[in-house]
Amino acid sequence: MSDPNKSSFVYVTYIRTTPQKLWDALTRPEFNRQFWYQAWQDCEWKAGASWRLMLADGRVADSGQVLEIDPPRRFVLAWRNEFRPELHEEGTARMTCLLEPQDDMVKLTITHEIDRPKSKFIEAVSSGWPIILASLKSLLETGRALEVTGRPKDK
Amino acid sequence: MSATFKPNTVYVIYIAATPEQVWQALTDPAFTKQYFGGFAIDVEPRQGGAFFLRYPDGRVHMSGRVVEWSPPRRFSCTWLVEGMPEFRELPECLVTYDIEPAGGAVKLTMTEAHSWDVLDDILAGGRQGWPAILSGLKSVLETGKSLEIKMEPPQGMVEAVRRAVAEKPWKRST
């Protein structure tokens, strides 16, 4: 389970929605902005395509590439931080997004991992994902994302 | 309680509700029945009070003691699984809910802590269960409707519990 040379973060949530609606919310900028502090992903969503997470003010937060993609079930991104030097220098992480339908729900699993121990990058994403994914769940189940994630993040 | 509990599993979720609503959802049987595998909470609302999770027919699934009762911020209690024979001999664990306001919503943090070096195969039960339970709690508070999530105990868990009960690693000197 715990490889001492790796750091990883896994988050699971269940959302009452369909895989296609969840896929659209995860990949389309107009949905991203609502639950991701106005950030959005600039990507063509096909294997090998470049990928960037854009902040509301136009800065690039993270960049990478689509390593694998199988809509609406799974995608894997190469993901490197671009705006915090101490995270950038840790190199490229891998993010896997898995959508598994279960009755009238989808089980969503986000796995973020990097090949180094005690990663600051993994620590940072561990505190970031829960509110973003909770807000995504609210958006799909109630039509409204969490208010705080609808505006750019402080700091 | 003399044992020292070490946090092994932490799950964080954000809910569009007030701290008081989240507190009620955690401590009122009418709510827990909707999202916590059908179990009704039965808790004496004070530190040191008795705590149970009961099956619909009243039998005890889980029992424990309230370690902290601080509405609407922190609810912490010890847990002992009574409803499954293999599990009854495990040392109790400590489950703590922290409720914090977070920009118009609530941040709920669940921490499951243990007094011995629990095997990953045993922790897998909580790691599988908490996301389902707390995703359901969020849906109940935000939409009025819970999620019907079916699941089996993770592979290897019951076997790991049997092995631990046979070997009692918590009795070794630490």
Side-chain angles (χ1 to χ4, degrees):
Chain A
M1 283 290 275
S2 41
D3 182 337
N5 299 313
K6 285 188 179 175
S7 306
S8 64
F9 173 72
V10 181
Y11 192 88
V12 175
T13 188
Y14 293 81
I15 303 176
R16 179 174 279 122
T17 188
T18 65
Q20 190 58 51
K21 283 182 186 164
L22 179 53
W23 184 270
D24 289 346
L26 285 165
T27 56
R28 285 166 53 175
E30 68 271 29
F31 293 112
N32 287 175
R33 286 194 186 94
Q34 296 178 61
F35 65 82
W36 208 330
Y37 296 103
Q38 289 290 327
W40 58 282
Q41 297 163 98
D42 180 13
C43 184
E44 285 181 38
W45 299 109
K46 55 188 189 194
S50 69
W51 170 89
R52 296 190 301 172
L53 179 64
M54 308 299 296
L55 298 177
D57 62 11
R59 279 182 302 159
V60 178
D62 306 84
S63 72
Q65 196 185 1
V66 178
L67 299 176
E68 293 172 44
I69 186 160
D70 176 18
R73 280 185 284 272
R74 182 173 182 267
F75 63 84
V76 184
L77 299 176
W79 181 312
R80 184 169 194 180
N81 183 276
E82 297 291 353
F83 77 121
R84 284 173 58 184
E86 75 279 17
L87 303 185
H88 181 75
E89 72 174 22
E90 288 195 350
T92 302
R94 217 164 29 256
M95 194 282 268
T96 303
C97 196
L98 180 65
L99 295 72
E100 299 170 280
Q102 205 172 310
D103 300 324
D104 61 344
M105 294 166 283
V106 181
K107 177 185 181 186
L108 173 64
T109 306
I110 299 280
T111 305
H112 224 132
E113 53 201 331
I114 197 166
D115 291 330
R116 58 185 296 146
K118 297 189 172 71
S119 160
K120 291 194 194 92
F121 172 77
I122 294 300
E123 198 184 311
V125 298
S126 306
S127 64
W129 276 123
I131 194 165
I132 292 163
L133 298 173
S135 189
L136 166 65
K137 176 171 159 72
S138 296
L139 176 64
L140 288 167
E141 291 188 0
T142 72
R144 288 181 60 183
L146 297 177
E147 210 184 310
V148 65
T149 63
R151 44 182 191 264
K153 206 170 181 173
D154 304 333
K155 78 182 180 233
Chain B
M1 253 187 353
S2 54
T4 310
F5 287 87
K6 191 175 89 186
N8 281 305
T9 302
V10 178
Y11 188 84
V12 175
I13 194 163
Y14 291 77
I15 303 165
T18 64
E20 288 76 12
Q21 287 168 327
V22 174
W23 180 270
Q24 188 187 7
L26 290 168
T27 57
D28 179 339
F31 279 90
T32 66
K33 277 193 248 180
Q34 295 177 64
Y35 68 81
F36 211 128
F39 296 117
I41 190 172
D42 172 8
V43 60
E44 264 182 89
R46 59 172 180 89
Q47 193 184 326
F51 156 75
F52 302 98
L53 285 178
R54 295 183 185 278
Y55 291 96
D57 65 7
R59 277 180 307 129
V60 173
H61 168 61
M62 196 84 79
S63 71
R65 287 272 152 206
V66 177
V67 174
E68 186 169 344
W69 180 268
S70 306
R73 295 283 175 259
R74 175 179 270 195
F75 173 37
S76 180
C77 48
T78 60
W79 283 43
L80 188 69
V81 180
E82 305 249 17
M84 294 183 277
E86 293 90 355
F87 291 69
R88 206 175 292 158
E89 292 178 57
L90 289 178
E92 58 190 12
C93 70
L94 182 67
V95 172
T96 302
Y97 299 109
D98 283 297
I99 299 167
E100 299 164 76
V106 165
K107 178 185 184 185
L108 172 63
T109 305
M110 186 297 305
T111 305
E112 182 190 308
H114 299 261
S115 58
W116 57 294
D117 287 332
V118 197
L119 301 165
D120 276 344
D121 279 344
I122 297 180
L123 292 174
R127 288 178 181 165
Q128 175 186 278
W130 287 115
I133 290 163
L134 298 176
S135 291
L137 183 156
K138 176 176 163 78
S139 292
V140 168
L141 283 175
E142 294 187 3
T143 71
K145 204 172 158 204
S146 189
L147 305 172
E148 298 280 339
I149 303 168
K150 298 182 200 89
M151 56 176 62
E152 297 294 324
Q155 223 180 355
M157 184 189 179
V158 174
E159 183 51 40
V161 169
R162 281 197 192 116
R163 210 164 51 237
V165 165
E167 294 170 6
K168 303 202 175 7
W170 52 88
K171 288 201 168 155
R172 280 184 218 134
S173 57
T174 44

